[in-house]
Amino acid sequence: MISIVIPTFNDSEFFLEVLSALEKQTYSDIEIIVVDSSTEHDSSKVINESLQGSFLETTYKKIDRAYAGKSMNEGLKMVKGNLVGFLDTKTIPEIDWLEKYLRHINEGYSVVFGVTKYKEITNFQKILKAASYGEIGHQTVPGTVIKREAVNSIGTFIENIRAAYDQEWRERVMDKLKFYVPDQPSITLSLIHI
């Protein structure tokens, strides 16, 4: 089983897209763990109700407002699977994301990093993408799949910082574990969500 940890903060409309993509995965032995630090009651209600309506195994935990690192760590405490995947509420996985990543895990890697591509809608977003992300995929924590024992060996995310918690964690992983970075993106983040 792969446990997918998803932190969320006032993102119910985007979360529904993520849930739909997870329900369509070609690998289906998954559980979804959502850690919700939303301040908007309606957002929390929509997310919780959508999880209850899913055919996938789901766990929902409401916590006080928190940075993503703390939410990720809360999710890690509830993991049942031998593998852990990470998404956030604005990252949409390809339908064969887990199937492809499992192949690399089975080749002996402890972790396969997510590779995210950025999608633009407006003219301003096209300019922003051209000036920053470009057309290539970027290594990210969202989309990453890691062995549970590997998480235990490298530790959890820094909880009390807003930015770079994921970069610091990736650097620890790359320093201590056998990892793989796919050539092609497996995750899409629409710039309209930023």
Side-chain angles (χ1 to χ4, degrees):
M1 174 186 284
I2 302 177
S3 301
I4 310 297
V5 177
I6 307 171
T8 183
F9 176 76
N10 297 336
D11 287 329
S12 59
E13 67 181 278
F14 308 125
F15 176 76
L16 298 176
E17 244 183 296
V18 175
L19 180 60
S20 175
L22 288 171
E23 290 175 336
K24 295 173 185 169
Q25 286 294 302
T26 55
Y27 180 85
S28 60
D29 188 15
I30 62 176
E31 72 164 332
I32 301 171
I33 299 168
V34 175
V35 180
D36 181 8
S37 65
S38 297
T39 55
E40 297 172 359
H41 174 73
D42 288 346
S43 183
S44 296
K45 182 179 176 186
V46 167
I47 290 168
N48 196 11
E49 287 176 356
S50 65
L51 287 172
Q52 291 175 15
S54 178
F55 63 86
L56 297 171
E57 182 176 341
T58 63
T59 302
Y60 173 86
K61 182 173 185 179
K62 178 73 173 109
I63 64 171
D64 291 336
R65 187 173 180 169
Y67 292 128
K70 180 174 175 72
S71 295
M72 298 282 262
N73 292 341
E74 288 297 318
L76 286 169
K77 293 175 187 175
M78 297 181 281
V79 164
K80 295 178 188 170
N82 293 325
L83 296 169
V84 181
F86 298 110
L87 290 175
D88 72 31
T89 52
K90 296 180 180 101
T91 53
I92 310 300
E94 302 289 326
I95 64 167
D96 59 353
W97 161 56
L98 293 173
E99 183 179 347
K100 284 181 179 177
Y101 276 43
L102 275 176
R103 285 187 210 133
H104 299 300
I105 294 289
N106 291 333
E107 292 169 356
Y109 294 99
S110 295
V111 61
V112 182
F113 282 111
V115 177
T116 299
K117 63 183 173 184
Y118 297 84
K119 177 180 164 187
E120 76 283 350
I121 306 296
T122 67
N123 283 334
F124 174 75
Q125 291 168 354
K126 288 177 184 177
I127 294 167
L128 175 65
K129 179 180 168 184
S132 56
Y133 303 110
E135 293 295 329
I136 62 172
H138 296 271
Q139 181 183 335
T140 56
V141 169
T144 295
V145 174
I146 186 169
K147 291 180 179 178
R148 186 177 182 178
E149 71 261 13
V151 173
N152 295 337
S153 73
I154 59 142
T156 57
F157 296 91
I158 296 174
E159 294 188 351
N160 58 353
I161 61 174
R162 181 174 184 183
Y165 75 96
D166 52 344
Q167 181 179 351
E168 185 276 335
W169 185 84
R170 280 195 335 262
E171 288 174 5
R172 262 189 287 144
V173 168
M174 290 186 287
D175 192 43
K176 296 181 180 180
L177 300 174
K178 184 177 180 183
F179 66 91
Y180 181 79
V181 181
D183 295 334
Q184 297 298 315
S186 56
I187 303 295
T188 300
L189 173 63
S190 175
L191 291 174
I192 201 162
H193 301 322
I194 295 178

